[in-house]
Amino acid sequence: LPITGFWDSRQGGRDENQDQCAVIDTPLGFLALVCDGMGGGPSGSLASDTAVRKIYEYLNTPHEDMNRKEVLKEAIEYAHQSILSLGDENPRLRGMGTTVVAMLINDYSAIIAHVGDSRAYQFRYGHKIFRTSDHSMVAEMVRNGVLTEEQARLSSQSNIITKALGGNLKDLAEVSEHAYEAGDKFLLCSDGIWGMVPEKELIRLTAKPSVLSKAVANTIETIEGLGRESGNTHDNMTIVMLEMKKDSKLKVKMSKKTIRLLAIMAVVCLLSIVANIILAKKLSAPNMAEQKVEVLTKELSTKKKQIEDLQAEVNKLNTEVAKSKRETADAQLEVAAEKNK
């Protein structure tokens, strides 16, 4: 699969880096994932490390008659159960957990799955066309219209997530399938990346640069710098970026925004055509009237000539009738004269 990828993971201002990431090939496609571990002591690191290893392990086992969406979702569930098992075996590890955002990509499509608030973005021509929806308390408030995205990002409760591997919930992963085009970029990151800057700034840092390696380096250095300026207490930060070099076999569907734009353009074109027709009729009306007068004038002239011709015929007939009458009168006079002799 023609694809370019770069990634980086930093400790930030924390005592250790509990983030984990992987970019690796599997029988079902190219796998990229980011996990953000949670828990005291070493348990957060163990949870994220376990998630990465178990998801990869599951994807490398045979899965007959299953589509890639189902396999990735089950791989995440397998990692979830593995983390729970570690807690059952060692009480000190109970309560540990991790977020996960994973992408399984082949030449047909990209499958994206996530649990928690680690995110995946898809960019096209420098613009966001997809983003995962966080499983967090503040994200739910955004969806309900209580907070804006920026208010949620800056909230002191932004780190309270509602789903995590190692938690008590089932059916954790939210999974979706995406077509892609050559030049599309995918960003996977922990909240240590997206939580430090407004989304518009994150898109400027990651989606706009033409060179992927520079996008990753500039983003991580920018976040690191902001963290140092704010007291060096910033979170672990992990970023993975991939750029596609050809179109997927799954065709890209037009977005609702594009469909609305085309519909508006069609209406505008139709109104323009109607307006031009009306204007053409108005402009051509005098010409039509002139043409009609000309036709009527010709018809009148023809009728006038026909009348003149008929009048000449009548005059000719009257002359002939008068001549006939004179000849008749002369004949009668001759007959009368013969009788008188």
Side-chain angles (χ1 to χ4, degrees), residues 45-267:
S45 297
L46 178 59
S48 59
D49 179 70
T50 300
V52 170
R53 288 187 295 103
K54 293 299 180 179
I55 290 171
Y56 176 66
E57 177 184 313
Y58 192 86
L59 291 175
N60 275 279
T61 58
H63 301 283
E64 296 180 0
D65 301 325
M66 290 181 63
N67 63 46
R68 291 159 54 244
K69 290 177 66 175
E70 293 174 344
V71 175
L72 185 56
K73 188 171 186 178
E74 289 196 1
I76 291 173
E77 181 64 27
Y78 176 67
H80 169 60
Q81 293 300 328
S82 298
I83 293 170
L84 290 176
S85 296
L86 289 174
D88 292 338
E89 295 168 4
N90 187 345
R92 291 182 301 175
L93 299 177
R94 289 176 183 170
M96 71 177 181
T98 182
T99 69
V100 61
V101 58
M103 183 168 70
L104 186 60
I105 188 165
N106 65 7
D107 60 355
Y108 182 75
S109 67
I111 306 297
I112 295 176
H114 80 290
V115 180
D117 62 355
S118 292
R119 291 182 178 178
Y121 287 82
Q122 183 179 3
F123 303 123
R124 181 170 298 148
Y125 305 122
H127 299 282
K128 177 184 72 175
I129 63 172
F130 170 76
R131 195 202 88 187
T132 51
S133 182
D134 301 339
H135 300 138
S136 68
M137 187 176 72
V138 293
E140 191 65 34
M141 296 173 74
V142 171
R143 287 188 284 273
N144 292 332
V146 178
L147 296 177
T148 65
E149 283 272 354
E150 188 61 8
Q151 288 171 335
R153 184 182 72 84
L154 297 173
S155 171
S156 59
Q157 298 176 317
S158 62
N159 62 340
I160 301 176
I161 62 175
T162 55
K163 284 185 178 184
L165 276 66
N168 296 322
L169 297 176
K170 294 182 178 180
D171 192 28
L172 293 174
E174 189 173 333
V175 187
S176 55
E177 185 174 25
H178 303 270
Y180 56 83
E181 294 181 350
D184 280 8
K185 297 175 183 177
F186 289 94
L187 163 68
L188 280 66
C189 63
S190 61
D191 66 332
I193 295 290
W194 67 259
M196 290 293 289
V197 292
E199 188 171 73
K200 287 184 178 180
E201 176 65 7
L202 179 64
I203 293 172
R204 186 190 70 80
L205 287 169
T206 56
K208 302 296 184 181
S210 57
V211 181
L212 203 63
S213 58
K214 289 185 178 180
V216 171
N218 290 342
T219 300
I220 205 81
E221 291 299 333
T222 298
I223 301 301
E224 191 84 273
L226 291 172
R228 286 193 294 266
E229 291 173 4
S230 63
N232 205 39
T233 59
H234 53 298
D235 201 356
N236 306 150
M237 60 192 82
T238 301
I239 180 173
V240 175
M241 288 199 71
L242 305 175
E243 183 175 355
M244 309 314 298
K245 298 301 182 181
K246 71 172 187 177
D247 297 351
S248 62
K249 292 181 180 178
L250 179 65
K251 298 305 178 185
V252 176
K253 294 181 180 179
M254 283 193 298
S255 65
K256 291 182 179 179
K257 182 178 180 180
T258 301
I259 293 172
R260 287 196 297 268
L261 180 61
L262 291 175
I264 292 171
M265 291 176 62
V267 171

Side-chain angles (χ1 to χ4, degrees), residues 268-333:
V268 170
C269 289
L270 180 60
L271 291 175
S272 176
I273 291 171
V274 171
N276 287 332
I277 291 173
I278 293 173
L279 181 61
K281 285 185 175 180
K282 287 183 178 180
L283 292 175
S284 64
N287 292 333
M288 293 176 64
E290 290 176 2
Q291 292 175 0
K292 190 171 183 179
V293 169
E294 185 178 349
V295 170
L296 290 174
T297 300
K298 288 182 178 180
E299 290 181 352
L300 181 61
S301 177
T302 301
K303 295 295 184 183
K304 184 177 179 181
K305 187 174 186 310
Q306 290 176 346
I307 290 172
E308 290 176 350
D309 291 342
L310 288 173
Q311 186 64 49
E313 288 292 330
V314 169
N315 291 338
K316 183 178 179 180
L317 288 173
N318 286 336
T319 301
E320 291 179 354
V321 168
K323 181 179 178 181
S324 177
K325 284 181 178 181
R326 287 195 302 272
E327 290 176 348
T328 301
D330 292 341
Q332 289 176 345
L333 290 173

